[in-house]
Amino acid sequence: MSDVSGLGVDWACSIAVDVGGTFTDIVVSDDSGALHVAKSPSVPSDPSRGVLDAVTLAADRLGIDATELLAGCKRFVHGSTVATNAVLEGNLAKVGLITTAGFRDALEIRRGLREDQWDHRAPWPAVLVPRDLRIGVGGRVDKAGEELEQLDIAQVEAALDRFEGGDVEAVAICLLHSYCNDRHERTVAEMARTRWPGALTTASHELVPLMGEYERTSTSVVNAALVPKVGGYLQRLADRLTAMGLRVPLLLIQSNGGTVPVEAAARRPVDLVLSGPAAVGGALDRAARGIGSGAAVSIEIGGTSCDVAVRVEGSIPVVDGLQIGGYHLNIPAVDVHTVGAGGGTIATVDAAGLLRMGPQGAGADPGPACYGRGGIAPTATDAHLLLGRLRPGPYAGGSIELDADLAHQAITAGVAQPLGTSAEVAAQGMLTLLEQHIKHAVEVLTIERGRDPRSMTLVAAGGAGGLHAVAVARALGCARVVVPAEAGVFCAIGMLHTDLRRDSSRTLTGSLDTLGAEGIAAALLAQQAQAEDLASTEWGHDVERACDWFVDLRYPGQLWSLRVAVGADSSTADIRRSFETEYDRLYGHIQPQGVLEVTSIAVVVHGFTAAPVGEPEPSSPSAAPRPAGFRRCWVDASTGWADLAVYEGHELVPGVSLDGPLIVEATTTTVLVGQGDRLNVMAGSDLEIVLR
């Protein structure tokens, strides 16, 4: 703890920093429950600079220097897009792959399945390892783990020699069936680590010991390709923060929604490809104060994209794999669907005269045209400004200033003139189309997964979420919208509610009836022991822990499995019932008394370190709030233009109710309430909008 002048003796805080495509968000939470929020422009060329700039900005707002702020920090959590961007931009290390003889092309053959079966022209992503650096070596293990052929040590040495001559930066090892017998792979890894030490050598049995040759190889190669780039960045950032006064370990958000110390993250950077958006679980836990225990779907709309997540039965589903840039990764990840629909999404008119929104975005540099930083492409932010939903002038603490004339020029030249219409009508069309994209993104995680969005609360977050929330909710049939008080830093807030987490999976095959509940429980106990040993190594022994168990099942002949939770006292009938309930929800039918195959088991170890972020003292409205002003604004197609009352967010205390249409300008977001909708200010200053 630190004695910070003006903030009280022994003042202590928790810090979360979320690096986005346009802004870097920082939230400082002190022990009194007060939240201090700041945004600074991201620095795509050097994300660490964006983090340090955000820390400095937050310290300035508190009237202290960065050293004092970091000295008082008891928990620092970081959501990083470095791994994501490295894969999407192809900024990866040169990798050599050692595999079993005859299987060097598994990485290029893939599964042979197209994501869109009707699109036969879409190119596959580039193979991350060229064929001359994919080397098969002698030695063979069968699917039962029995050795059929001894490992050829001479061929392994020759492969490593070729890698050295080819300036390989990292090595990936993926031998056939190493998930059930890793002896050969361990030998190769030991030999490789004499030349590429530590994390520069990735062995598949350590990273993802599961069936699926292509997915296991792809995951191992991506991890190896990220280690020199991401691992180095993370360690440099941790060192710079320590030099500035940070006394606690830097924690990273993983794709599974949990945190991990920086040293472990540097060894497994593939676990960070969804870092940032994965904090939505913690964010929705905090938002539950307003949404209650019912189902909710969140849309976080920032400058670059819209991240959609669904919360059912108190938690967000975690899937056992994801794709990024077309590459398959067998890692646990929060089920988040992302589309290119943000404030910086660019509008274009194609050769056929059709309006398109995205997926291209203006990013942080130059940003939307109205930023005045050289951008000329019309964006969603320009449309909001032109339609009066945003006001001209400074935003984000003065880091940007919106120019309405520049927005008008960009939309006129880029959309209105090609379509032969006015700039105002063009802006309306831009936002309507963008909201259709957001609606369809929500439907992917609701209707396509057997869930009805009409029964859900729509949680609108991100700097632009409050501007689109009512229109999207009305299109989906939702009756209620909640905009968290800290909507513009939604995931940064979520990071402060996130605990340590380590997932551990392995292949286990056999029918449910043959293995039996006792056999599955015994395998899970053994897996839990391994997972807890790893967690103790990464976290230390003094962290309070809890474990969850899961089993993956399928009907015979099926390619994919379903994961269900099990307990130590679950019977075979309990496991079958859980599977059939989930299968019926997804597909609308089951095979009564059909054979169920077990494909793998998983253990999740949670380490409880996150202290709940406090709430400010409640207050009661002394009188009806007065608008800060009025602004002419286009509300929607049915209402059209209207003079709307504009309220300052900090003036709206719990208990206030107002009828729309109106605008709320909060610290980190702007909220548009539609004609006839009811705005209620709830505990914690969350905003509830009840649709007409």
Side-chain angles (χ1 to χ4, degrees), residues 440-475:
H440 293 326
V442 172
E443 289 172 339
V444 169
L445 293 189
T446 54
I447 293 174
E448 292 186 18
R449 306 288 176 85
R451 300 185 177 101
D452 187 352
R454 294 174 298 180
S455 64
M456 297 181 174
T457 297
L458 182 72
V459 179
L467 290 168
H468 298 281
V470 167
V472 173
R474 191 162 279 125

Side-chain angles (χ1 to χ4, degrees), residues 566-651:
V566 300
D569 57 352
S570 293
S571 66
T572 302
D574 293 333
I575 298 172
R576 175 180 290 275
R577 190 178 305 110
S578 296
F579 173 85
E580 290 179 344
T581 298
E582 181 67 4
Y583 196 95
D584 184 63
R585 184 186 66 78
L586 288 170
Y587 305 113
H589 66 90
I590 61 170
Q591 297 178 19
Q593 300 307 311
V595 174
L596 291 182
E597 293 180 344
V598 176
T599 59
S600 58
I601 56 173
V603 171
V604 178
V605 184
H606 304 274
F608 303 112
T609 60
V613 178
E615 298 285 357
E617 289 295 325
S619 57
S620 300
S622 55
R626 298 176 63 84
F630 291 84
R631 189 160 70 236
R632 185 162 177 76
C633 168
W634 186 79
V635 181
D636 54 37
S638 60
T639 305
W641 291 86
D643 291 323
L644 267 58
V646 180
Y647 293 88
E648 297 288 348
H650 62 83
E651 296 287 341

Side-chain angles (χ1 to χ4, degrees), residues 183-510:
R183 188 166 64 85
H184 286 184
E185 198 166 281
R186 281 189 287 111
T187 300
V188 177
E190 290 168 4
M191 295 171 64
R193 283 177 178 143
T194 62
R195 311 192 198 192
W196 290 271
L200 293 176
T201 294
T202 296
S204 72
H205 74 276
E206 298 171 344
L207 186 70
V208 52
L210 297 169
M211 281 192 299
E213 200 64 23
Y214 163 61
E215 290 85 357
R216 189 157 50 88
T217 305
S218 178
T219 307
S220 301
V221 166
V222 171
N223 189 77
L226 287 173
V227 165
K229 304 291 184 178
V230 178
Y233 157 77
L234 294 177
Q235 198 56 60
R236 288 192 301 274
L237 175 61
D239 292 343
R240 292 177 72 177
L241 289 170
T242 299
M244 289 175 63
L246 185 65
R247 301 172 184 174
V248 294
L250 174 64
L251 299 176
L252 276 296
I253 292 289
Q254 303 174 96
S255 300
N256 61 18
T259 59
V260 65
V262 66
E263 292 81 6
R267 293 193 298 270
R268 298 173 56 109
V270 72
D271 288 334
L272 304 179
V273 295
L274 209 61
S275 182
V280 67
L284 283 175
D285 284 345
R286 177 171 172 80
R289 64 189 181 188
I291 64 178
S293 59
V297 56
S298 68
I299 54 172
E300 186 189 16
I301 308 174
T304 305
S305 61
C306 171
D307 297 321
V308 180
V310 170
R311 185 176 190 264
V312 289
E313 297 179 355
S315 64
I316 293 181
V318 174
V319 295
D320 58 4
L322 75 157
Q323 284 192 61
I324 180 163
Y327 302 109
H328 290 75
L329 305 177
N330 258 13
I331 61 171
V334 170
D335 197 4
V336 174
H337 182 58
T338 301
V339 292
T345 298
I346 293 174
T348 56
V349 178
D350 66 16
L354 294 177
L355 175 64
R356 296 183 180 275
M357 287 297 291
Q360 299 83 9
D365 186 13
C370 60
Y371 282 14
R373 295 176 177 171
I376 59 173
T379 68
T381 297
D382 297 308
H384 284 301
L385 183 60
L386 182 64
L387 297 177
R389 296 175 167 194
L390 295 174
R391 57 169 172 76
Y395 279 82
S399 60
I400 58 171
E401 185 154 341
L402 304 189
D403 188 318
D405 290 336
L406 292 176
H408 193 284
Q409 293 170 19
I411 292 175
T412 298
V415 180
Q417 290 179 350
L419 292 178
T421 188
S422 68
E424 289 76 11
V425 171
Q428 294 165 20
M430 290 166 60
L431 297 182
T432 299
L433 184 55
L434 189 75
E435 285 159 0
Q436 282 295 311
H437 292 336
I438 298 168
K439 172 180 177 284
H440 293 326
V442 172
E443 289 172 339
V444 169
L445 293 189
T446 54
I447 293 174
E448 292 186 18
R449 306 288 176 85
R451 300 185 177 101
D452 187 352
R454 294 174 298 180
S455 64
M456 297 181 174
T457 297
L458 182 72
V459 179
L467 290 168
H468 298 281
V470 167
V472 173
R474 191 162 279 125
L476 289 167
C478 300
R480 182 172 179 253
V481 171
V482 169
V483 184
E486 311 90 3
V489 290
F490 191 59
C491 278
I493 288 287
M495 292 174 190
L496 297 180
H497 285 259
T498 303
D499 286 300
L500 295 162
R501 174 169 172 153
R502 173 55 67 202
D503 289 65
S504 179
S505 303
R506 78 169 179 87
T507 295
L508 178 68
T509 57

